[in-house]
Amino acid sequence: MNTIIYMVRHAESPYNEGTERTRGLTAKGKDDVEKVTEILKEEGIDVVISSPYSRAILSIEGLALNVGLDIEIFEDLRERHFASEVIEDLMSVIHEKFYDFDYCLPGGESNYECQNRSVSVIKKLLKERSGKKIAIGTHGLVMTLMMNYFDSNYGLDFLNQLEKPDIYKLSFENLELKEVRRLWNGDFR
């Protein structure tokens, strides 16, 4: 029996240091959330899940309301914690060290640690909610690491081409990823 997971990368969010968990969406992000809802509302979603971060929740909130479901929050789907201090040019560090899964900055977590905790949620969902259609509000790096666990072709190049928001439909047979299809089209009307 196939289980479908819709990975929904959060919509555009203003970056403000120190507001990682609470920052919301930009005006464009709010407009794009309506498009996310339009794309997914006819998919027959059974379960709506999210990272605890506001921008991820807000990106699937319209969908949850439209299909009449509560959003289940999973702490282990949170964004990767990069470091205990502000890192100048964090994106260049992410790019340079992406494939060194054990590398972490002082006080932060590695890609391996982030992947391990987030994939544990996916495995649990695949076992306990087999045959369901599950929408997950997530983050670009976490989404890439989860997909990378099941197919190593999803790496840095994939991360670099993601949009905010973005939607990928993953079809699983038991714990095996069978198919991936991109649903997001930024020009969607």
Side-chain angles (χ1 to χ4, degrees):
M1 179 177 297
N2 282 0
T3 304
I4 309 296
I5 294 182
Y6 299 85
M7 295 280 188
V8 181
R9 185 192 190 184
H10 67 78
E12 187 178 270
S13 177
Y15 182 76
N16 298 311
E17 188 61 42
T19 62
E20 193 61 19
R21 284 186 173 265
T22 59
R23 69 181 201 241
L25 301 176
T26 64
K28 178 188 181 309
K30 290 174 185 174
D31 287 344
D32 285 342
V33 165
E34 293 177 25
K35 297 173 191 174
V36 168
T37 301
E38 283 300 310
I39 291 169
L40 294 177
K41 72 180 186 182
E42 302 299 327
E43 289 289 317
I45 303 293
D46 300 300
V47 181
V48 181
I49 289 170
S50 183
S51 152
Y53 289 20
S54 295
R55 61 190 181 276
I57 295 168
L58 292 170
S59 296
I60 59 168
E61 189 173 55
L63 170 66
L65 289 170
N66 191 283
V67 298
L69 296 170
D70 291 331
I71 300 172
E72 298 177 38
I73 305 299
F74 283 77
E75 181 65 29
D76 282 342
L77 293 176
R78 68 190 177 278
E79 180 60 285
R80 178 179 161 200
H81 178 66
F82 294 102
S84 57
E85 296 179 8
V86 176
I87 304 298
E88 293 297 321
D89 202 12
L90 180 61
M91 288 311 294
S92 67
V93 174
I94 291 170
H95 288 140
E96 181 182 330
K97 298 293 187 178
F98 183 85
Y99 290 104
D100 182 354
F101 270 47
D102 291 321
Y103 175 81
C104 67
L105 293 163
E109 71 180 331
S110 67
N111 277 352
Y112 177 75
E113 290 167 322
C114 179
Q115 183 183 61
N116 229 17
R117 70 169 159 77
S118 58
V119 167
S120 70
V121 173
I122 299 299
K123 287 180 176 180
K124 182 177 180 178
L125 293 171
L126 291 171
K127 288 178 183 173
E128 295 177 1
R129 305 201 188 180
S130 178
K132 301 291 184 189
K133 292 184 175 185
I134 305 164
I136 299 178
T138 190
H139 308 273
L141 182 57
V142 177
M143 178 175 142
T144 301
L145 292 172
M146 287 188 285
M147 292 171 70
N148 174 271
Y149 176 85
F150 294 100
D151 183 341
S152 63
N153 289 315
Y154 295 96
L156 186 57
D157 289 340
F158 176 74
L159 175 64
N160 287 333
Q161 62 83 44
L162 285 175
E163 294 183 35
K164 290 180 186 176
D166 220 328
I167 306 170
Y168 281 81
K169 180 179 181 178
L170 286 63
S171 298
F172 287 88
E173 189 173 301
N174 298 315
L175 294 177
E176 185 180 346
L177 179 61
K178 294 299 217 176
E179 181 182 13
V180 175
R181 199 171 107 219
R182 186 173 190 232
L183 300 184
W184 176 254
N185 175 351
D187 298 328
F188 179 82
R189 302 273 183 262

